[in-house]
Amino acid sequence: MELLEEPIVNIPYLVRENCLYIISECLANIKKHANAEKVRMEMKIINSEIVIKISDNGIGFKKKSIGNHAGRYGLIGLFERARLIGGEIQINSDIGIGTEITMKVPIKGEAYGSV
């Protein structure tokens, strides 16, 4: 696994907790489903947002399948957790090309106690 990061300080507990959960869920999904040989994770601040990208070279999946499997709601949960902290998630994947998940969370806003 390759990790590229910039120091990010003063993150409120709620934001930090949800970001860590999203990262761990992404990594668990890669281990469980992707059959990947390489994983790359980047964390940095861009334009007043924390940006986290996790990508793999695994088998990928059809994005239309998200939420269409009974009892499998992990990716839907990621979207909801990101929404709770004012962030968003984008998923790019297709069969045979791997997956890239990008999460963006504003540095300031409701989750940070500012208006």
Side-chain angles (χ1 to χ4, degrees), residues 23-51:
I23 291 167
S24 68
E25 182 68 18
C26 288
L27 295 176
N29 284 341
I30 291 168
K31 182 178 180 182
K32 188 174 182 180
H33 302 292
N35 199 22
E37 294 177 4
K38 293 183 181 179
V39 177
R40 179 182 173 115
M41 186 170 93
E42 298 177 56
M43 295 188 305
K44 52 186 151 185
I45 296 176
I46 301 174
N47 298 327
S48 298
E49 293 181 312
I50 298 170
V51 178

PDB file of all heavy atoms in Angstrom, residues 23-51:
ATOM      1  N   ILE A  23     -12.437   5.627   5.525  1.00  0.00           N
ATOM      2  CA  ILE A  23     -11.176   5.048   5.058  1.00  0.00           C
ATOM      3  C   ILE A  23     -11.128   3.552   5.369  1.00  0.00           C
ATOM      4  O   ILE A  23     -10.795   2.735   4.514  1.00  0.00           O
ATOM      5  CB  ILE A  23      -9.970   5.779   5.684  1.00  0.00           C
ATOM      6  CG1 ILE A  23      -9.863   7.197   5.128  1.00  0.00           C
ATOM      7  CG2 ILE A  23      -8.679   4.998   5.449  1.00  0.00           C
ATOM      8  CD1 ILE A  23      -8.907   8.090   5.911  1.00  0.00           C
ATOM      9  N   SER A  24     -11.460   3.180   6.608  1.00  0.00           N
ATOM     10  CA  SER A  24     -11.385   1.758   6.981  1.00  0.00           C
ATOM     11  C   SER A  24     -12.393   0.927   6.196  1.00  0.00           C
ATOM     12  O   SER A  24     -12.087  -0.206   5.797  1.00  0.00           O
ATOM     13  CB  SER A  24     -11.547   1.571   8.489  1.00  0.00           C
ATOM     14  OG  SER A  24     -12.842   1.901   8.904  1.00  0.00           O
ATOM     15  N   GLU A  25     -13.571   1.459   5.927  1.00  0.00           N
ATOM     16  CA  GLU A  25     -14.562   0.724   5.131  1.00  0.00           C
ATOM     17  C   GLU A  25     -14.085   0.549   3.693  1.00  0.00           C
ATOM     18  O   GLU A  25     -14.250  -0.520   3.108  1.00  0.00           O
ATOM     19  CB  GLU A  25     -15.910   1.460   5.168  1.00  0.00           C
ATOM     20  CG  GLU A  25     -17.013   0.761   4.417  1.00  0.00           C
ATOM     21  CD  GLU A  25     -17.474  -0.549   5.040  1.00  0.00           C
ATOM     22  OE1 GLU A  25     -17.206  -0.804   6.226  1.00  0.00           O
ATOM     23  OE2 GLU A  25     -18.111  -1.345   4.317  1.00  0.00           O
ATOM     24  N   CYS A  26     -13.472   1.582   3.135  1.00  0.00           N
ATOM     25  CA  CYS A  26     -12.927   1.471   1.778  1.00  0.00           C
ATOM     26  C   CYS A  26     -11.846   0.394   1.713  1.00  0.00           C
ATOM     27  O   CYS A  26     -11.844  -0.445   0.804  1.00  0.00           O
ATOM     28  CB  CYS A  26     -12.346   2.805   1.313  1.00  0.00           C
ATOM     29  SG  CYS A  26     -13.563   4.071   0.950  1.00  0.00           S
ATOM     30  N   LEU A  27     -10.931   0.407   2.684  1.00  0.00           N
ATOM     31  CA  LEU A  27      -9.859  -0.586   2.700  1.00  0.00           C
ATOM     32  C   LEU A  27     -10.402  -1.998   2.922  1.00  0.00           C
ATOM     33  O   LEU A  27      -9.935  -2.964   2.311  1.00  0.00           O
ATOM     34  CB  LEU A  27      -8.811  -0.223   3.748  1.00  0.00           C
ATOM     35  CG  LEU A  27      -8.046   1.080   3.481  1.00  0.00           C
ATOM     36  CD1 LEU A  27      -7.112   1.392   4.643  1.00  0.00           C
ATOM     37  CD2 LEU A  27      -7.301   1.029   2.166  1.00  0.00           C
ATOM     38  N   ALA A  28     -11.418  -2.128   3.779  1.00  0.00           N
ATOM     39  CA  ALA A  28     -12.039  -3.442   3.994  1.00  0.00           C
ATOM     40  C   ALA A  28     -12.706  -3.937   2.713  1.00  0.00           C
ATOM     41  O   ALA A  28     -12.608  -5.126   2.378  1.00  0.00           O
ATOM     42  CB  ALA A  28     -13.056  -3.367   5.129  1.00  0.00           C
ATOM     43  N   ASN A  29     -13.369  -3.038   1.996  1.00  0.00           N
ATOM     44  CA  ASN A  29     -14.015  -3.427   0.733  1.00  0.00           C
ATOM     45  C   ASN A  29     -12.987  -3.863  -0.303  1.00  0.00           C
ATOM     46  O   ASN A  29     -13.216  -4.821  -1.047  1.00  0.00           O
ATOM     47  CB  ASN A  29     -14.856  -2.276   0.174  1.00  0.00           C
ATOM     48  CG  ASN A  29     -16.158  -2.092   0.909  1.00  0.00           C
ATOM     49  OD1 ASN A  29     -16.627  -2.984   1.605  1.00  0.00           O
ATOM     50  ND2 ASN A  29     -16.741  -0.920   0.768  1.00  0.00           N
ATOM     51  N   ILE A  30     -11.848  -3.162  -0.347  1.00  0.00           N
ATOM     52  CA  ILE A  30     -10.786  -3.555  -1.280  1.00  0.00           C
ATOM     53  C   ILE A  30     -10.301  -4.956  -0.945  1.00  0.00           C
ATOM     54  O   ILE A  30     -10.177  -5.818  -1.820  1.00  0.00           O
ATOM     55  CB  ILE A  30      -9.627  -2.540  -1.253  1.00  0.00           C
ATOM     56  CG1 ILE A  30     -10.083  -1.207  -1.864  1.00  0.00           C
ATOM     57  CG2 ILE A  30      -8.405  -3.089  -1.989  1.00  0.00           C
ATOM     58  CD1 ILE A  30      -9.112  -0.060  -1.635  1.00  0.00           C
ATOM     59  N   LYS A  31     -10.046  -5.196   0.337  1.00  0.00           N
ATOM     60  CA  LYS A  31      -9.554  -6.521   0.751  1.00  0.00           C
ATOM     61  C   LYS A  31     -10.577  -7.614   0.455  1.00  0.00           C
ATOM     62  O   LYS A  31     -10.236  -8.696  -0.017  1.00  0.00           O
ATOM     63  CB  LYS A  31      -9.215  -6.513   2.241  1.00  0.00           C
ATOM     64  CG  LYS A  31      -8.659  -7.821   2.719  1.00  0.00           C
ATOM     65  CD  LYS A  31      -8.280  -7.775   4.171  1.00  0.00           C
ATOM     66  CE  LYS A  31      -7.720  -9.135   4.576  1.00  0.00           C
ATOM     67  NZ  LYS A  31      -7.372  -9.192   5.974  1.00  0.00           N
ATOM     68  N   LYS A  32     -11.836  -7.320   0.713  1.00  0.00           N
ATOM     69  CA  LYS A  32     -12.886  -8.323   0.592  1.00  0.00           C
ATOM     70  C   LYS A  32     -13.326  -8.579  -0.852  1.00  0.00           C
ATOM     71  O   LYS A  32     -13.625  -9.716  -1.217  1.00  0.00           O
ATOM     72  CB  LYS A  32     -14.091  -7.876   1.423  1.00  0.00           C
ATOM     73  CG  LYS A  32     -15.184  -8.896   1.557  1.00  0.00           C
ATOM     74  CD  LYS A  32     -16.245  -8.389   2.521  1.00  0.00           C
ATOM     75  CE  LYS A  32     -17.346  -9.404   2.725  1.00  0.00           C
ATOM     76  NZ  LYS A  32     -18.362  -8.922   3.653  1.00  0.00           N
ATOM     77  N   HIS A  33     -13.368  -7.523  -1.675  1.00  0.00           N
ATOM     78  CA  HIS A  33     -14.011  -7.654  -2.988  1.00  0.00           C
ATOM     79  C   HIS A  33     -13.114  -7.389  -4.197  1.00  0.00           C
ATOM     80  O   HIS A  33     -13.400  -7.898  -5.279  1.00  0.00           O
ATOM     81  CB  HIS A  33     -15.196  -6.680  -3.084  1.00  0.00           C
ATOM     82  CG  HIS A  33     -16.224  -6.861  -2.029  1.00  0.00           C
ATOM     83  ND1 HIS A  33     -17.032  -7.972  -1.954  1.00  0.00           N
ATOM     84  CD2 HIS A  33     -16.593  -6.060  -0.995  1.00  0.00           C
ATOM     85  CE1 HIS A  33     -17.847  -7.847  -0.927  1.00  0.00           C
ATOM     86  NE2 HIS A  33     -17.600  -6.706  -0.322  1.00  0.00           N
ATOM     87  N   ALA A  34     -12.060  -6.582  -4.057  1.00  0.00           N
ATOM     88  CA  ALA A  34     -11.372  -6.050  -5.237  1.00  0.00           C
ATOM     89  C   ALA A  34     -10.345  -6.984  -5.861  1.00  0.00           C
ATOM     90  O   ALA A  34     -10.031  -6.845  -7.036  1.00  0.00           O
ATOM     91  CB  ALA A  34     -10.690  -4.720  -4.891  1.00  0.00           C
ATOM     92  N   ASN A  35      -9.797  -7.895  -5.066  1.00  0.00           N
ATOM     93  CA  ASN A  35      -8.734  -8.749  -5.574  1.00  0.00           C
ATOM     94  C   ASN A  35      -7.580  -7.890  -6.130  1.00  0.00           C
ATOM     95  O   ASN A  35      -7.019  -8.178  -7.176  1.00  0.00           O
ATOM     96  CB  ASN A  35      -9.269  -9.705  -6.645  1.00  0.00           C
ATOM     97  CG  ASN A  35      -8.360 -10.894  -6.868  1.00  0.00           C
ATOM     98  OD1 ASN A  35      -7.565 -11.250  -5.999  1.00  0.00           O
ATOM     99  ND2 ASN A  35      -8.457 -11.493  -8.038  1.00  0.00           N
ATOM    100  N   ALA A  36      -7.257  -6.819  -5.411  1.00  0.00           N
ATOM    101  CA  ALA A  36      -6.250  -5.858  -5.864  1.00  0.00           C
ATOM    102  C   ALA A  36      -4.851  -6.261  -5.424  1.00  0.00           C
ATOM    103  O   ALA A  36      -4.664  -6.870  -4.380  1.00  0.00           O
ATOM    104  CB  ALA A  36      -6.577  -4.473  -5.310  1.00  0.00           C
ATOM    105  N   GLU A  37      -3.882  -5.879  -6.232  1.00  0.00           N
ATOM    106  CA  GLU A  37      -2.476  -6.059  -5.882  1.00  0.00           C
ATOM    107  C   GLU A  37      -1.882  -4.777  -5.312  1.00  0.00           C
ATOM    108  O   GLU A  37      -0.932  -4.819  -4.547  1.00  0.00           O
ATOM    109  CB  GLU A  37      -1.679  -6.485  -7.118  1.00  0.00           C
ATOM    110  CG  GLU A  37      -2.075  -7.853  -7.635  1.00  0.00           C
ATOM    111  CD  GLU A  37      -1.329  -8.212  -8.907  1.00  0.00           C
ATOM    112  OE1 GLU A  37      -0.459  -7.435  -9.340  1.00  0.00           O
ATOM    113  OE2 GLU A  37      -1.627  -9.267  -9.476  1.00  0.00           O
ATOM    114  N   LYS A  38      -2.442  -3.626  -5.704  1.00  0.00           N
ATOM    115  CA  LYS A  38      -1.923  -2.339  -5.239  1.00  0.00           C
ATOM    116  C   LYS A  38      -3.066  -1.454  -4.776  1.00  0.00           C
ATOM    117  O   LYS A  38      -4.135  -1.424  -5.376  1.00  0.00           O
ATOM    118  CB  LYS A  38      -1.171  -1.622  -6.359  1.00  0.00           C
ATOM    119  CG  LYS A  38       0.097  -2.312  -6.776  1.00  0.00           C
ATOM    120  CD  LYS A  38       0.823  -1.507  -7.822  1.00  0.00           C
ATOM    121  CE  LYS A  38       2.097  -2.247  -8.233  1.00  0.00           C
ATOM    122  NZ  LYS A  38       2.827  -1.504  -9.263  1.00  0.00           N
ATOM    123  N   VAL A  39      -2.778  -0.715  -3.702  1.00  0.00           N
ATOM    124  CA  VAL A  39      -3.720   0.260  -3.155  1.00  0.00           C
ATOM    125  C   VAL A  39      -2.934   1.545  -2.916  1.00  0.00           C
ATOM    126  O   VAL A  39      -1.802   1.508  -2.432  1.00  0.00           O
ATOM    127  CB  VAL A  39      -4.341  -0.219  -1.826  1.00  0.00           C
ATOM    128  CG1 VAL A  39      -5.248   0.845  -1.244  1.00  0.00           C
ATOM    129  CG2 VAL A  39      -5.088  -1.525  -2.022  1.00  0.00           C
ATOM    130  N   ARG A  40      -3.538   2.658  -3.255  1.00  0.00           N
ATOM    131  CA  ARG A  40      -2.894   3.963  -3.050  1.00  0.00           C
ATOM    132  C   ARG A  40      -3.875   4.867  -2.306  1.00  0.00           C
ATOM    133  O   ARG A  40      -5.053   4.922  -2.667  1.00  0.00           O
ATOM    134  CB  ARG A  40      -2.529   4.577  -4.386  1.00  0.00           C
ATOM    135  CG  ARG A  40      -1.881   5.933  -4.289  1.00  0.00           C
ATOM    136  CD  ARG A  40      -1.604   6.468  -5.691  1.00  0.00           C
ATOM    137  NE  ARG A  40      -1.142   7.814  -5.635  1.00  0.00           N
ATOM    138  CZ  ARG A  40       0.065   8.225  -5.998  1.00  0.00           C
ATOM    139  NH1 ARG A  40       0.933   7.346  -6.452  1.00  0.00           N
ATOM    140  NH2 ARG A  40       0.394   9.487  -5.915  1.00  0.00           N
ATOM    141  N   MET A  41      -3.383   5.556  -1.282  1.00  0.00           N
ATOM    142  CA  MET A  41      -4.225   6.491  -0.545  1.00  0.00           C
ATOM    143  C   MET A  41      -3.505   7.818  -0.432  1.00  0.00           C
ATOM    144  O   MET A  41      -2.324   7.861  -0.079  1.00  0.00           O
ATOM    145  CB  MET A  41      -4.552   5.959   0.842  1.00  0.00           C
ATOM    146  CG  MET A  41      -5.543   6.832   1.577  1.00  0.00           C
ATOM    147  SD  MET A  41      -6.137   6.080   3.087  1.00  0.00           S
ATOM    148  CE  MET A  41      -4.981   6.763   4.247  1.00  0.00           C
ATOM    149  N   GLU A  42      -4.218   8.896  -0.765  1.00  0.00           N
ATOM    150  CA  GLU A  42      -3.683  10.249  -0.670  1.00  0.00           C
ATOM    151  C   GLU A  42      -4.583  11.065   0.243  1.00  0.00           C
ATOM    152  O   GLU A  42      -5.800  10.963   0.143  1.00  0.00           O
ATOM    153  CB  GLU A  42      -3.669  10.934  -2.032  1.00  0.00           C
ATOM    154  CG  GLU A  42      -2.819  10.278  -3.078  1.00  0.00           C
ATOM    155  CD  GLU A  42      -2.957  11.004  -4.407  1.00  0.00           C
ATOM    156  OE1 GLU A  42      -2.705  12.228  -4.467  1.00  0.00           O
ATOM    157  OE2 GLU A  42      -3.340  10.336  -5.374  1.00  0.00           O
ATOM    158  N   MET A  43      -3.981  11.878   1.100  1.00  0.00           N
ATOM    159  CA  MET A  43      -4.730  12.815   1.942  1.00  0.00           C
ATOM    160  C   MET A  43      -4.041  14.163   1.848  1.00  0.00           C
ATOM    161  O   MET A  43      -2.829  14.263   2.077  1.00  0.00           O
ATOM    162  CB  MET A  43      -4.741  12.358   3.402  1.00  0.00           C
ATOM    163  CG  MET A  43      -5.475  11.080   3.633  1.00  0.00           C
ATOM    164  SD  MET A  43      -5.682  10.642   5.374  1.00  0.00           S
ATOM    165  CE  MET A  43      -4.011  10.654   5.992  1.00  0.00           C
ATOM    166  N   LYS A  44      -4.821  15.187   1.498  1.00  0.00           N
ATOM    167  CA  LYS A  44      -4.249  16.525   1.440  1.00  0.00           C
ATOM    168  C   LYS A  44      -5.346  17.563   1.534  1.00  0.00           C
ATOM    169  O   LYS A  44      -6.537  17.237   1.515  1.00  0.00           O
ATOM    170  CB  LYS A  44      -3.419  16.725   0.181  1.00  0.00           C
ATOM    171  CG  LYS A  44      -4.101  16.376  -1.110  1.00  0.00           C
ATOM    172  CD  LYS A  44      -3.114  16.471  -2.254  1.00  0.00           C
ATOM    173  CE  LYS A  44      -3.464  15.526  -3.373  1.00  0.00           C
ATOM    174  NZ  LYS A  44      -2.474  15.513  -4.418  1.00  0.00           N
ATOM    175  N   ILE A  45      -4.941  18.816   1.649  1.00  0.00           N
ATOM    176  CA  ILE A  45      -5.894  19.925   1.670  1.00  0.00           C
ATOM    177  C   ILE A  45      -5.804  20.629   0.329  1.00  0.00           C
ATOM    178  O   ILE A  45      -4.718  21.030  -0.108  1.00  0.00           O
ATOM    179  CB  ILE A  45      -5.597  20.900   2.815  1.00  0.00           C
ATOM    180  CG1 ILE A  45      -5.788  20.179   4.154  1.00  0.00           C
ATOM    181  CG2 ILE A  45      -6.504  22.121   2.722  1.00  0.00           C
ATOM    182  CD1 ILE A  45      -5.431  21.005   5.356  1.00  0.00           C
ATOM    183  N   ILE A  46      -6.962  20.774  -0.323  1.00  0.00           N
ATOM    184  CA  ILE A  46      -7.058  21.471  -1.599  1.00  0.00           C
ATOM    185  C   ILE A  46      -8.257  22.407  -1.517  1.00  0.00           C
ATOM    186  O   ILE A  46      -9.377  21.965  -1.232  1.00  0.00           O
ATOM    187  CB  ILE A  46      -7.245  20.492  -2.779  1.00  0.00           C
ATOM    188  CG1 ILE A  46      -6.079  19.518  -2.864  1.00  0.00           C
ATOM    189  CG2 ILE A  46      -7.421  21.254  -4.089  1.00  0.00           C
ATOM    190  CD1 ILE A  46      -6.254  18.434  -3.916  1.00  0.00           C
ATOM    191  N   ASN A  47      -8.023  23.695  -1.770  1.00  0.00           N
ATOM    192  CA  ASN A  47      -9.114  24.681  -1.792  1.00  0.00           C
ATOM    193  C   ASN A  47     -10.032  24.577  -0.575  1.00  0.00           C
ATOM    194  O   ASN A  47     -11.243  24.450  -0.705  1.00  0.00           O
ATOM    195  CB  ASN A  47      -9.940  24.546  -3.071  1.00  0.00           C
ATOM    196  CG  ASN A  47      -9.119  24.820  -4.308  1.00  0.00           C
ATOM    197  OD1 ASN A  47      -8.212  25.633  -4.298  1.00  0.00           O
ATOM    198  ND2 ASN A  47      -9.423  24.119  -5.380  1.00  0.00           N
ATOM    199  N   SER A  48      -9.460  24.611   0.605  1.00  0.00           N
ATOM    200  CA  SER A  48     -10.211  24.582   1.867  1.00  0.00           C
ATOM    201  C   SER A  48     -11.032  23.307   2.063  1.00  0.00           C
ATOM    202  O   SER A  48     -12.087  23.314   2.687  1.00  0.00           O
ATOM    203  CB  SER A  48     -11.126  25.811   1.986  1.00  0.00           C
ATOM    204  OG  SER A  48     -10.354  26.987   1.985  1.00  0.00           O
ATOM    205  N   GLU A  49     -10.558  22.203   1.512  1.00  0.00           N
ATOM    206  CA  GLU A  49     -11.213  20.903   1.718  1.00  0.00           C
ATOM    207  C   GLU A  49     -10.160  19.856   2.040  1.00  0.00           C
ATOM    208  O   GLU A  49      -9.059  19.889   1.495  1.00  0.00           O
ATOM    209  CB  GLU A  49     -11.953  20.440   0.456  1.00  0.00           C
ATOM    210  CG  GLU A  49     -13.137  21.265   0.074  1.00  0.00           C
ATOM    211  CD  GLU A  49     -13.818  20.726  -1.175  1.00  0.00           C
ATOM    212  OE1 GLU A  49     -13.126  20.441  -2.168  1.00  0.00           O
ATOM    213  OE2 GLU A  49     -15.051  20.600  -1.142  1.00  0.00           O
ATOM    214  N   ILE A  50     -10.522  18.933   2.912  1.00  0.00           N
ATOM    215  CA  ILE A  50      -9.720  17.729   3.086  1.00  0.00           C
ATOM    216  C   ILE A  50     -10.096  16.821   1.928  1.00  0.00           C
ATOM    217  O   ILE A  50     -11.283  16.549   1.704  1.00  0.00           O
ATOM    218  CB  ILE A  50     -10.037  17.023   4.415  1.00  0.00           C
ATOM    219  CG1 ILE A  50      -9.720  17.923   5.595  1.00  0.00           C
ATOM    220  CG2 ILE A  50      -9.279  15.703   4.512  1.00  0.00           C
ATOM    221  CD1 ILE A  50     -10.237  17.399   6.918  1.00  0.00           C
ATOM    222  N   VAL A  51      -9.110  16.367   1.170  1.00  0.00           N
ATOM    223  CA  VAL A  51      -9.359  15.483   0.038  1.00  0.00           C
ATOM    224  C   VAL A  51      -8.644  14.165   0.305  1.00  0.00           C
ATOM    225  O   VAL A  51      -7.437  14.143   0.540  1.00  0.00           O
ATOM    226  CB  VAL A  51      -8.873  16.097  -1.296  1.00  0.00           C
ATOM    227  CG1 VAL A  51      -9.111  15.133  -2.448  1.00  0.00           C
ATOM    228  CG2 VAL A  51      -9.549  17.437  -1.550  1.00  0.00           C
TER     229      VAL A  51
END
